[in-house]
Amino acid sequence: MESIYGYIRVSSHDQNEDRQLIAMQQMNIPKRQIYMDKQSGKDFNRPQYCYMVEKLEKDDLLYIASIDRLGRNYNEILEQWRVLTKVKEIDIVVLDTPLLDTRRGKDLMGTFLSDIVLQVLSFVAENERRNIRQRQAEGIAAAKEKGIKFGRPEIQLNEGFEEMVEAWECKEITVNEVIEAFNISESTFT
């Protein structure tokens, strides 16, 4: 008997997966068969995805909200699609793209059309990932030009710090004495 699965992916922990979850619930997918990863789609080394693929058996059905939720790497999307549909022999439904429903059009023309759509959408997904990275790099460069600093703020140390470090290096005082004197953490000091 075939099982129905759903796969959800968001790129980071602060992104919301509710839209995808609602779509899966509307397809009546049991909650225990919905797998979700919160990480980049640059590759398929995602724990829940890998666990789900191991569970998939012939004639199972996998729902995905959109092709970019599967991944954002053109070649890897095409390879995973091949593994899922040809090796695992499951059906896939991409909810926002009716042409990407492997239950329909299993003849040569249907397969040809789905392959073209899959290639175009996989290209778009990877291209969007590249655009996001480019926009991010441009934003960081513009912020740096304006003098915005990234990372932890620099700690302003009081006079006498260098002497205390020398004393610590000579084992005349302890780490605790230094961090207490300057109100810093041990990891900041070491």
Side-chain angles (χ1 to χ4, degrees):
M1 188 169 131
E2 72 179 36
S3 294
I4 299 173
Y5 293 88
Y7 181 68
I8 296 171
R9 184 190 66 78
V10 292
S11 297
S12 64
H13 287 280
D14 60 339
Q15 287 185 330
N16 191 316
E17 68 278 356
D18 290 347
R19 176 186 64 85
Q20 295 176 70
L21 188 56
I22 290 167
M24 298 301 158
Q25 290 168 340
Q26 290 173 341
M27 302 312 297
N28 297 316
I29 301 168
K31 242 186 171 163
R32 70 183 182 286
Q33 290 182 209
I34 297 174
Y35 294 84
M36 180 177 62
D37 285 304
K38 289 192 170 197
Q39 69 185 77
S40 169
K42 67 180 178 167
D43 59 41
F44 284 85
N45 296 326
R46 296 177 234 137
Q48 290 298 304
Y49 179 80
C50 293
Y51 183 66
M52 178 193 68
V53 170
E54 285 180 24
K55 294 182 75 94
L56 292 171
E57 295 179 0
K58 183 179 181 191
D59 297 325
D60 284 348
L61 177 59
L62 173 62
Y63 284 96
I64 303 164
S66 61
I67 199 69
D68 65 341
R69 300 301 82 205
L70 180 62
R72 287 208 181 262
N73 179 304
Y74 176 81
N75 290 324
E76 289 194 28
I77 292 170
L78 297 179
E79 176 59 17
Q80 284 301 306
W81 191 273
R82 185 194 68 75
V83 167
L84 295 172
T85 60
K86 305 289 189 251
V87 176
K88 293 293 236 178
E89 298 183 62
I90 68 157
D91 280 310
I92 303 174
V93 174
V94 179
L95 294 173
D96 72 350
T97 311
L99 282 173
L100 290 178
D101 181 343
T102 61
R103 298 172 301 174
R104 295 184 210 152
K106 293 204 179 221
D107 61 351
L108 185 59
M109 181 59 81
T111 301
F112 173 71
L113 289 175
S114 342
D115 286 351
I116 289 174
V117 171
L118 176 64
Q119 288 188 24
V120 168
L121 293 177
S122 298
F123 168 81
V124 169
E126 180 171 338
N127 196 49
E128 179 59 17
R129 178 173 169 259
R130 287 181 182 174
N131 288 340
I132 289 168
R133 293 179 77 196
Q134 178 64 33
R135 288 189 300 263
Q136 183 182 34
E138 289 169 0
I140 290 169
K144 284 181 177 179
E145 251 183 55
K146 290 180 179 179
I148 296 174
K149 296 190 185 246
F150 291 86
R152 295 174 120 182
E154 216 175 277
I155 296 175
Q156 298 299 319
L157 298 172
N158 300 333
E159 285 185 39
F161 181 73
E162 290 178 16
E163 291 81 14
M164 296 262 318
V165 170
E166 285 179 26
W168 171 74
E169 287 173 341
C170 294
K171 300 189 186 312
E172 296 170 1
I173 60 172
T174 66
V175 168
N176 286 339
E177 290 175 297
V178 177
I179 64 177
E180 284 177 20
F182 292 97
N183 195 27
I184 58 175
S185 71
E186 186 174 345
S187 62
T188 300
F189 177 66
T190 55

